[in-house]
Amino acid sequence: MKSAVETLNPTRVRLSIEVPFEELKDSLDAAYKKINQQVTVKGFRKGKIPARVIDQRFGRGAVLEEAVNDALPKFYTEAVNEGELNVLGQPEVDITELKDGELLAFTAEVDVRPEIEIPDYSGIEVTVDALEVTDEEVEKAVEQLRERFASTNPVERAAADGDVVTIDLQAKVDGEVLEDGVADGVSYTIGSGELLDGIDEAVTGLEAGGEATFTSQLKGGSAEGKDAEVTVKVTAVAARELPELDDDFAQMASEFDTLEELKADSRKRLETTKQYDQATQAQERVLEELLKLAEVPIPEKLLADEVQTRKHNLEHHQLGQMGLDLEKYLEIQGKTLEEFENETSEQAIKGIKTQFILDELVNKEKLNVNQEELTEHLMRRAASSGMSPDQFAQAVVEGGQVPMLVGEVARGKALAVVVEAAKVVDTNGEVVDLEDEEEAAEATETVEAATEDKADGKAEEKNEA
């Protein structure tokens, strides 16, 4: 076999391959054997039909076609390895010459990973939010905890903001009561915004037994998006009572003995959350700067496939779970289809750039992923997918997605290297030290968000099947 590589552009090559006919012998033998198992000829046992009879009865062309189809992947792979090419996706193959007994010649055009020069990233400097927890934020956190321990007591008065009312609902569209538009005994907190628009104004001021009618656009069900005439009847009113903020509350709601200890713990938790947010912000901004420094050609077909994959995942996984289609989603977002497609293309370009640059950095820095790192990452991905670790691991293995998970962790470690070399300051001008054992894991999440890797989608598809 002879092969030559022609570079069409920085991301695409054409392989020209010539195969002497004698190198097709194994594929020809396999073709005759396969046809032998598929056909019957009177006078011959199944599987024992001579090659000359197959040629006479079914044509030498059918045998050659089967043999070439069998041989092409093998010779293409040999040419790729011989040319030391890092190919992306499937090739476009064109048979240019096929002379029986003499020669098979074909070309294969395929996208390749471009050569990338890693820029000097040591001068990257980014600014992140300062790590500050205010007294107001602590008070709000404690108040949210207090809300969870609120009690309700029936009252004989008109409903007011913050009260919990028990209501019966009936929705009509064009004067007809909807089959799925009736609900009795619904518990609703006035002001929560958890039901229909306009319901707060309708029930406020009503006592038990009171009734009101209002118009609202339905958010779900058989008449989703339509205006309905909604009748609401209040059957009970209850006032929410919050516990006193004192040491007794701290003992009831936590493991602490005093309110001050509870507040100190709330402050510590908020600081931890903000530290995580600060690290994520630093990684995102460092990644943005790194992408600006590097020149990365984008393969057109790879970009088209990535855009299509992102649209598929959005429509069939994310929106499907929310009961929305793309048209409704765009309406809610206030975007046109063209704007959505442009944004998706920009996101896909960023994802491809991120993957190419960080993969190159993984190779340059000789970064490896150990079993512990892979297991920790798999556990986290399983939790985010809503599957058990065993289910997720099985789906990933069966779907051939283990290399993808390894790649995610490796890219996270590569980004952590860049972040460590960068200068990160907060809005107060203070240098931020991000050296942390969790930094690589957090960087992996940042990379995932940029590249939108497909392991979750593949695992979910496998699980659904």
Side-chain angles (χ1 to χ4, degrees), residues 39 52 68 70 126 137 159-160 165 182 185 191 211 287 307 319 326 345 358 368 372 421 427:
V39 302
R52 59 178 176 77
V68 168
D70 176 74
V126 297
E137 289 173 319
V165 290
V182 178
E211 191 175 291
L287 178 58
V307 169
L319 297 184
L326 183 58
S345 180
L358 294 182
N368 296 310
E372 182 181 357
T427 49

Side-chain angles (χ1 to χ4, degrees), residues 281-296:
Q281 191 178 66
Q283 290 151 8
E284 290 173 348
R285 294 182 179 179
V286 167
L287 178 58
E288 291 285 350
E289 293 302 313
L290 178 64
L291 295 180
K292 291 177 185 177
L293 292 175
E295 289 290 332
V296 184

